[in-house]
């Protein structure tokens, strides 16, 4: 019985120690996951803010990426909640379970101590040999032995159930942990794939053209188009021809007037020559 009690105590203490450690580590794991979710939310907000300042294709690609990444954080939040409910809480409940098993163990030890005390009284009574007290002591010892036997049997059943429940709970807790993580990472792979595709839909050439256009004044292109259109206009070419013809006509008229003036001067010289001959 002493060996049995010691083994029960060691089994309960072992569960108390290691389940407590597992509970603390899993709780820290969940807190880290929750903090990762919070940091990811900050990243999503910053991507949205940056996308609003960029060129159209890059803006759309970043916005779609942020949408997918934000969706992933919803699944991460579900992961946190499931881990709390399916892993941390069951481990935490073993604090109460261990306390109850210790109470059962304490009750068994109390019953065994009572039996040992009654046995000691019986031995002292036998030494004194009074028949009536001997009968009373044996009766008390019998009741104490029955109580100890019943309590020990109950403890055996309790610790047996405790061991079976412990193994079942360990299997359930770790199975839930793996299932929750697999569901999250499966969704994460799907969402990351979509986010990757959104990034690769960004058209670098289109955005580069938009950026280059932004280097000039808003009306630069329109004015440039007008100049180019006018340079190719038939009307402009006609106007240029008329202008050139006018210049040529002006030159011709000037030359004509000059020739007429020279003719008039020659006629005046001839008249003067004729007058001089007549005087002679």
């Amino acid at each position: 019985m002493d060996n049995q009690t010691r083994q029960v105590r060691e089994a309960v203490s072992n569960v108390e120690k290691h389940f407590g450690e597992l509970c603390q580590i899993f709780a820290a794991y969940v807190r880290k996951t929750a903090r990762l979710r919070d940091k990811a939310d900050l990243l999503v907000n910053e991507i949205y803010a940056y996308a609003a300042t960029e060129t159209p294709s890059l803006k759309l690609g970043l916005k779609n990426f942020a949408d997918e990444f934000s969706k992933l954080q919803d699944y991460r939040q579900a992961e946190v909640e499931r881990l709390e409910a399916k892993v941390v809480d069951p481990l935490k409940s073993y604090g109460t379970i261990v306390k109850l098993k210790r109470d059962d163990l304490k009750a068994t030890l109390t019953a065994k101590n009572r039996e040992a005390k009654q046995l000691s009284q019986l031995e002292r009574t036998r030494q004194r040999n009074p028949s009536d007290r001997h009968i009373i002591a044996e009766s008390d010892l019998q009741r104490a032995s029955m109580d100890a036997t019943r309590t020990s049997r109950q403890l055996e059943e309790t610790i047996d159930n405790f061991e079976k429940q412990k193994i079942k709970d360990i299997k359930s807790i770790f199975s839930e942990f793996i299932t929750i993580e697999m569901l999250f990472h499966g969704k994460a792979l799907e969402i990351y794939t979509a986010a990757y595709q959104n990034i690769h839909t960004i058209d670098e050439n289109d955005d580069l053209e938009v950026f280059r256009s932004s280097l000039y004044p808003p009306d630069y292109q329109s004015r440039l188009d007008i100049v180019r259109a006018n340079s190719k206009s038939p009307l402009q070419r006609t106007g240029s021809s008329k202008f050139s013809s006018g210049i040529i006509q002006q030159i011709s008229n000037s030359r004509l007037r000059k020739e007429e003036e020279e003719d008039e001067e020659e006629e005046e010289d001839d008249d003067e020559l004729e007058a001089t001959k007549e005087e002679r």
Side-chain angles (χ1 to χ4, degrees):
M1 293 296 294
D2 290 340
N3 182 59
Q4 182 189 47
T5 303
R6 185 172 58 255
Q7 288 182 345
V8 170
R9 183 186 292 113
E10 289 176 355
V12 172
S13 297
N14 189 58
V15 169
E16 182 181 32
K17 175 185 176 182
H18 292 290
F19 274 51
E21 290 292 333
L22 287 171
C23 183
Q24 290 181 7
I25 295 172
F26 272 120
Y29 181 93
V30 173
R31 288 194 299 271
K32 289 284 187 181
T33 304
R35 283 199 289 271
L36 179 60
R37 175 208 59 209
D38 294 339
K39 293 298 183 182
D41 288 339
L42 293 177
L43 179 59
V44 168
N45 292 335
E46 179 57 28
I47 294 173
Y48 279 134
Y50 170 54
T53 67
E54 273 296 347
T55 47
S57 181
L58 181 56
K59 178 179 181 179
L60 181 60
L62 289 174
K63 180 182 179 300
N64 290 338
F65 174 88
D67 289 342
E68 295 295 337
F69 201 58
S70 178
K71 188 189 302 180
L72 179 61
Q73 305 322 307
D74 294 336
Y75 286 108
R76 202 185 298 277
Q77 174 62 28
E79 176 194 16
V80 168
E81 293 174 357
R82 289 169 181 167
L83 288 173
E84 283 280 0
K86 301 294 186 178
V87 177
V88 177
D89 288 346
L91 287 171
K92 190 183 299 182
S93 69
Y94 262 80
T96 301
I97 294 173
V98 167
K99 184 177 181 299
L100 293 175
K101 298 311 170 186
R102 286 193 181 280
D103 291 341
D104 294 339
L105 180 59
K106 183 178 179 180
T108 301
L109 293 176
T110 300
K112 289 174 64 177
N113 290 334
R114 187 183 304 114
E115 180 186 15
K117 183 178 180 181
Q118 294 294 334
L119 181 60
S120 178
Q121 289 177 354
L122 177 60
E123 290 298 329
R124 288 196 299 270
T125 302
R126 282 176 178 175
Q127 291 175 2
R128 295 170 187 164
N129 288 324
S131 59
D132 55 344
R133 296 184 64 182
H134 178 72
I135 295 173
I136 295 172
E138 286 186 344
S139 177
D140 291 340
L141 178 60
Q142 186 177 10
R143 286 198 301 270
S145 297
M146 291 177 61
D147 290 342
T149 302
R150 186 183 67 253
T151 305
S152 296
R153 189 177 297 113
Q154 290 176 349
L155 179 61
E156 289 177 3
E157 294 176 356
T158 300
I159 199 63
D160 187 73
N161 292 333
F162 175 74
E163 282 294 311
K164 287 192 295 187
Q165 189 64 42
K166 177 194 72 175
I167 297 171
K168 180 180 179 181
D169 288 341
I170 282 291
K171 290 177 63 178
S172 175
I173 289 169
F174 278 85
S175 295
E176 289 288 352
F177 174 74
I178 294 300
T179 301
I180 292 168
E181 291 296 288
M182 288 177 64
L183 286 173
F184 170 75
H185 287 290
K187 284 294 182 181
L189 181 60
E190 177 183 338
I191 292 172
Y192 278 133
T193 300
Y196 181 87
Q197 292 171 347
N198 286 324
I199 288 299
H200 279 267
T201 59
I202 297 172
D203 193 316
E204 302 171 27
N205 294 327
D206 284 353
D207 279 353
L208 189 57
E209 287 297 324
V210 172
F211 174 75
R212 287 170 177 169
S213 299
S214 68
L215 299 177
Y216 300 102
D219 60 341
Y220 174 82
Q221 188 61 42
S222 60
R223 289 189 286 111
L224 183 62
D225 291 341
I226 292 173
V227 171
R228 288 174 178 173
N230 289 338
S231 66
K232 298 178 182 179
S233 171
L235 180 61
Q236 185 181 23
R237 289 199 297 270
T238 302
S240 298
S241 300
K242 289 182 179 180
F243 177 77
S244 299
S245 299
I247 295 296
I248 294 172
Q249 185 64 36
Q250 290 178 2
I251 295 173
S252 299
N253 292 338
S254 175
R255 288 180 178 176
L256 181 60
R257 284 196 301 272
K258 185 175 181 181
E259 289 175 355
E260 289 175 351
E261 290 175 354
E262 289 177 352
D263 290 340
E264 289 176 354
E265 288 178 355
E266 288 178 357
E267 289 177 357
E268 289 177 355
D269 291 338
D270 291 338
D271 291 341
E272 288 178 356
L273 180 61
E274 290 294 332
T276 301
K277 288 181 179 180
E278 287 177 356
E279 287 177 355
R280 292 178 179 176

